[in-house]
Amino acid sequence: MSARRILVTSALPYANGPIHIGHLVEYLQTDIWVRFQKLRGHECRYFCADDTHGTAIMIRAREESRREEDLIAEMQAGHEKDFAEFDIVFDNYGSTHSEENRALCGEIWQSIREAGLVKEADVEQLYDVEASTFLADRFVRGTCPKCKATDQPGDNCSVCGHHYSPAELVYPKSALSGTTPEVRSAGHLFIELEQLHEFLETWTQSGDHLQPEIANYLKGHFLGEPLRDWDISRPAPYFGFEIPDSPGNYWYVWFDAPIGYVASTRQWCDRTGENFDDWWKSSDTEIHHFIGKDITYFHTLFWPGMLKTAGYSLPTKVHIHGFLTVGGEKMSKSKGTFVNARTYLNHLDPNYLRYFYASKLSAKVDDIDLSLEEFVAKVNTDLVGKFVNLASRSAKFVGSTGLSAKYPEDDGLFAHAAQVGDEIANAYEACDTSRAMRLIMALADRANPYIEENKPWALRKEPAEAQRLQDVCTVALNLFRQLAIYLAPVLPQLAAQTGELLQEPITSWDQAKTPLTGTPVAKFQHMLRRVEEKDLHAMIEESKAELPADGDESATGASTSTSDNDGDDALAAEPLAEECTFDDFTKVDLRVARVVEAEHVPEAHKLLKLKLSLGGGVTKQVFAGIKAAYEPEQLVGRLVVCVANLAPREMRFGVSEGMVIASGPGGEEVFLLSPDDGAVPGQRVH
RNA sequence: GGUCCGGUAGCUCAGUUGGUUAGAGCAGGGGACUCAUAAUCCCUUGGUCGGGGGUUCGAGUCCCUCCCGGACUACCA
């Protein structure tokens, strides 16, 4: 097997929010694949970067009254920290807002110009006069021209599903300023992709560049008709790179984002002295992109077209994965299943998620589901019960003697596992890690009965059987080590721990072919704690408590957008009450209050006991039926709204002197109301 | 609406170019063991492979049709 040179990328995370467990599907899938290739002895490099340009960043920086550069630097630091703690290791992690990227954009742009692919045309767009910016579709809301539903997004109606352009909205409003935008015309630059139609047809439909379902999708969706021009410029103001030969216009973020792959490589080459052309302009180098299905067309049509035109290597393969669902549903902030990487790390070991995703991922584009029960079962049964247990039940018997000098008879177990290694490698190579994990666990299922049959715990009581004891444990630990090698791409920490236990670092896949003999064995230490369901629930609770800062959690990577959930269920379940007068309303004295104490009531099934402060030393004791939805710890310190003049009521556990205001049907579906920033305890709600 | 992908034991999934009584893990039931992180081992209960029709000596596997679920629908990031 000769060493391959392999360049790998993951989609660039957008610098507008933190990494969450949906993104991690992609970064972990890629990291596992890269680690596998490196373990196999190939020259494999993993490049990524933050995606930093676009209107969303500009708007957010403006809202936060700071420079875009400061915003994206902070985001990038957070991303890199999260990746590092999940053991996702890049050979270079750059930024699209770098000089390397600016230079490469200019160079590639020049090629596209020279190839005659650029044309200019006017585009009519809504313009927010007050914010002095053009508005992307999602920054406009208004009344649907078809069904007249109010407050609908700028591109399609969430009620009737009708598609339209923002300008067609009745009463359009800018989401930025709330003002009514006006239609303005501006010159945009377009790439005439149709000129590359034949090339793209051939490239997408031949070879193994794409998964079959993706090639088929492109053929049916895009390639069956003329490809539309791609609008790749945006007029000022825009956070991005100004187009050198078109002052006042900026490259659209999707033009410079994929070039970020190349720019990150360039940075690495400059740092290490590698030859750039060997990586991006050599037919000997494989290029693999890992992306989510939402950005398929950018990577399978635009991007190959750009590379081809600019004289760069084309992707060897674009690996496309599906989204993450949790408990069979889209990730949801209100349900606490929209879990940030940081929140996960506060409660759980990254190894769990690495293994869990590995056991679910295949080469298909299907979504994968994280069920909490399955997560616990897989981690505890597979990783701890089957795998780590092999070492844990045998290592200490040979702590003093080390491994036998000669590998003992083992009924062919080692040889079999060595042989299956090829099949496991094929599965990894094909990104079918779920198959790889199944094969590995099947090997663990052969190893545990071996120990069962040979009873080392009985042998150790017979001095005459000392050699047998050592032999049995030598077999067990070698079988364990084989599995650790096969799992090393997924569980690098476990591989390192195994290396320490057996005094021989795991550095190569081929180490699984030869048993270790005659070497010392270190004192066994716990390798991985079992996961407990309560840790998962604590994580979910913390996610719930993290209030959504804004409605935007999309990103260039494995984004999973949450859609507005404005159905009629809630209203149907609880119809509007009879009309009341203003005087009726003012009888109820609603006040902002701070939760200063919160505790469980031991015998109560639904209640939490709260102490609310109305400021100035005035407090009220309230029993609230929110136990299923909130943990006491997450309530202390937060502001709520309470009914302050409700008649006190004697309850079984004490007197309740008010109510906290919440919505929802009850049980776990209870949502406390919070005032916006600035409110202070004691203020009346009018 | 259109296009695509799925529907195999309670759950998550394997089922190679159609070929013997449809498999695994988990969960459930019974037993064993005690070295191990209430781990492990043995035995075991579950399926007319979404419905119907067809091709074939033979179909979970091919064709048609219907039902159900999901995804996507570029000039949004």
Side-chain angles (χ1 to χ4, degrees):
Chain A
M1 180 178 63
S2 59
R4 293 147 60 190
R5 192 187 294 139
I6 309 170
L7 187 156
V8 182
T9 72
S10 291
L12 314 185
Y14 199 52
N16 192 29
I19 301 297
H20 56 67
I21 58 174
H23 294 120
L24 286 171
V25 171
E26 175 170 315
Y27 300 102
L28 289 177
Q29 180 185 40
T30 315
D31 184 70
I32 288 167
W33 199 77
V34 167
R35 284 179 183 274
F36 167 72
Q37 299 299 354
K38 288 178 173 175
L39 195 63
R40 297 278 280 177
H42 299 305
E43 190 178 2
C44 183
R45 302 295 171 189
Y46 183 12
F47 299 116
C48 198
D50 256 28
D51 179 17
T52 59
H53 291 154
T55 314
I57 299 291
M58 179 179 78
I59 299 297
R60 177 164 174 168
R62 200 182 280 179
E63 279 171 356
E64 297 176 4
S65 305
R66 55 174 169 167
R67 296 163 58 235
E68 285 94 347
E69 284 79 359
D70 296 331
L71 170 63
I72 65 177
E74 182 186 310
M75 284 293 170
Q76 177 145 358
H79 291 172
E80 293 196 44
K81 189 161 184 289
D82 288 345
F83 288 140
E85 290 187 41
F86 273 95
D87 289 316
I88 296 161
V89 175
F90 302 101
D91 287 280
N92 192 67
Y93 195 86
S95 165
T96 59
H97 197 61
S98 68
E99 282 315 307
E100 290 88 349
N101 201 39
R102 184 193 294 273
L104 282 161
C105 286
E107 182 211 309
I108 290 172
W109 176 245
Q110 193 58 36
S111 303
I112 294 170
R113 276 275 199 199
E114 285 167 9
L117 296 178
V118 179
K119 77 165 191 188
E120 297 187 31
D122 285 344
V123 170
E124 290 197 335
Q125 237 186 324
L126 291 178
Y127 185 86
D128 183 326
V129 180
E130 190 169 311
S132 44
T133 179
F134 283 95
L135 295 166
D137 291 358
R138 63 206 196 91
F139 287 110
V140 183
R141 297 187 80 86
T143 300
C144 171
K146 189 175 182 190
C147 76
K148 311 300 181 203
T150 57
D151 196 31
Q152 294 306 312
D155 48 358
N156 69 309
C157 175
S158 67
V159 176
C160 72
H162 184 59
H163 285 255
Y164 43 73
S165 77
E168 291 176 66
L169 282 171
V170 185
Y171 309 125
K173 294 283 183 208
S174 164
L176 302 180
S177 65
T179 58
T180 302
E182 58 187 51
V183 177
R184 283 197 188 178
S185 180
H188 283 231
L189 296 166
F190 293 81
I191 293 179
E192 294 183 329
L193 210 60
E194 178 58 14
Q195 291 191 36
L196 300 170
H197 195 130
E198 198 178 322
F199 157 70
L200 290 171
E201 175 95 36
T202 306
W203 185 78
T204 58
Q205 303 303 313
S206 63
D208 184 34
H209 307 305
L210 303 172
Q211 287 130 298
E213 61 263 49
I214 295 295
N216 189 23
Y217 158 72
L218 295 173
K219 189 175 183 181
H221 256 85
F222 305 104
L223 294 166
E225 54 189 86
L227 293 162
R228 298 187 199 172
D229 298 335
W230 184 29
D231 183 354
I232 57 85
S233 77
R234 294 292 182 275
Y238 193 77
F239 181 58
F241 292 139
E242 192 168 17
I243 303 175
D245 55 13
S246 183
N249 286 314
Y250 291 74
W251 282 305
Y252 172 49
V253 56
W254 264 110
F255 179 82
D256 72 57
I259 296 174
Y261 300 141
V262 186
S264 187
T265 311
R266 166 77 81 184
Q267 271 186 350
W268 174 77
C269 288
D270 290 347
R271 196 177 74 232
T272 60
E274 286 277 335
N275 180 11
F276 176 79
D277 284 358
D278 286 348
W279 290 89
W280 275 101
K281 294 187 175 180
S282 163
S283 59
D284 295 334
T285 302
E286 298 174 31
I287 296 175
H288 294 259
H289 297 302
F290 286 78
I291 62 166
K293 63 184 179 182
D294 53 336
I295 54 177
T296 295
Y297 47 83
F298 292 104
H299 283 81
T300 57
L301 297 175
F302 302 149
W303 181 232
M306 286 165 67
L307 290 170
K308 166 82 173 167
T309 306
Y312 284 75
S313 300
L314 293 165
T316 307
K317 182 138 191 171
V318 181
H319 306 261
I320 301 176
H321 62 81
F323 289 151
L324 177 71
T325 56
V326 180
E329 297 177 3
K330 279 187 175 182
M331 297 193 297
S332 143
K333 284 196 172 173
S334 64
K335 289 186 175 144
T337 53
F338 204 105
V339 181
N340 286 329
R342 182 54 41 193
T343 313
Y344 176 98
L345 290 167
N346 287 342
H347 298 274
L348 297 167
D349 188 322
N351 288 302
Y352 302 159
L353 195 68
R354 291 186 69 102
Y355 177 73
F356 183 78
Y357 282 170
S359 75
K360 300 291 284 185
L361 280 165
S362 74
K364 294 186 182 168
V365 190
D366 301 346
D367 290 353
I368 66 168
D369 184 56
L370 191 167
S371 120
L372 302 189
E373 295 74 28
E374 194 186 358
F375 183 92
V376 171
K378 276 204 187 286
V379 168
N380 287 346
T381 304
D382 291 358
L383 279 189
V384 181
K386 289 181 180 175
F387 169 58
V388 175
N389 192 33
L390 284 172
S392 151
R393 67 193 304 199
S394 58
K396 72 176 186 186
F397 295 138
V398 284
S400 56
T401 63
L403 300 179
S404 301
K406 184 162 171 258
Y407 189 72
E409 169 59 36
D410 68 353
D411 300 326
L413 283 172
F414 189 91
H416 173 260
Q419 192 191 331
V420 174
D422 290 341
E423 208 178 333
I424 296 169
N426 289 340
Y428 270 119
E429 178 68 40
C431 289
D432 195 352
T433 50
S434 63
R435 177 172 162 79
M437 295 307 106
R438 277 200 307 277
L439 291 167
I440 292 168
M441 286 308 142
L443 295 178
D445 283 339
R446 285 170 157 246
N448 275 306
Y450 171 85
I451 298 180
E452 206 74 23
E453 284 163 24
N454 289 281
K455 301 182 174 52
W457 58 91
L459 295 175
R460 105 186 134 145
K461 291 172 187 161
E462 308 283 338
E465 298 283 8
Q467 184 56 50
R468 280 271 304 144
L469 175 64
Q470 189 188 20
D471 285 352
V472 168
C473 293
T474 296
V475 170
L477 286 171
N478 267 295
L479 296 177
F480 169 73
R481 177 167 170 269
Q482 275 180 316
L483 300 181
I485 293 166
Y486 295 153
L487 285 169
V490 178
L491 303 170
Q493 285 181 13
L494 271 292
Q497 288 169 304
T498 304
E500 284 167 26
L501 178 70
L502 300 178
Q503 315 271 303
E504 170 110 349
I506 289 172
T507 56
S508 154
W509 185 267
D510 286 341
Q511 286 173 296
K513 289 180 178 162
T514 316
L516 276 181
T517 50
T519 52
V521 175
K523 183 168 166 28
F524 180 76
Q525 297 178 327
H526 262 24
M527 292 183 165
L528 192 67
R529 199 170 67 83
R530 291 167 63 79
V531 60
E532 295 186 45
E533 208 158 328
K534 71 176 171 58
D535 297 329
L536 279 158
H537 286 121
M539 175 183 81
I540 299 290
E541 288 306 319
E542 189 184 328
S543 291
K544 268 190 206 166
E546 288 166 1
L547 290 173
D550 55 47
D552 179 27
E553 55 268 338
S554 60
T556 318
S559 65
T560 301
S561 58
T562 54
S563 58
D564 289 335
N565 182 23
D566 295 351
D568 58 3
D569 296 353
L571 203 53
E574 206 170 357
L576 288 178
E578 186 185 335
E579 185 173 293
C580 75
T581 66
F582 183 73
D583 284 341
D584 290 333
F585 171 69
T586 54
K587 281 183 190 165
V588 180
D589 192 346
L590 298 172
R591 297 282 172 163
V592 174
R594 187 180 302 284
V595 179
V596 291
E597 286 175 22
E599 59 187 79
H600 285 293
V601 182
E603 300 124 64
H605 297 301
K606 296 179 180 172
L607 298 177
L608 290 182
K609 180 177 169 185
L610 306 180
K611 187 173 178 186
L612 303 181
S613 166
L614 296 180
V618 178
T619 61
K620 285 189 173 283
Q621 173 172 286
V622 170
F623 288 92
I626 57 173
K627 182 182 175 122
Y630 291 90
E631 289 297 325
E633 305 80 62
Q634 70 188 83
L635 290 173
V636 174
R638 69 169 280 179
L639 295 179
V640 296
V641 176
C642 74
V643 182
N645 63 340
L646 192 67
R649 179 169 173 189
E650 185 70 42
M651 300 181 75
R652 182 176 152 204
F653 313 103
V655 178
S656 187
E657 304 171 288
M659 285 179 71
V660 291
I661 305 299
S663 69
E668 291 180 18
E669 302 273 275
V670 171
F671 310 103
L672 288 173
L673 268 63
S674 304
D676 276 347
D677 287 346
V680 298
Q683 284 177 339
R684 182 157 186 189
V685 178
H686 298 287

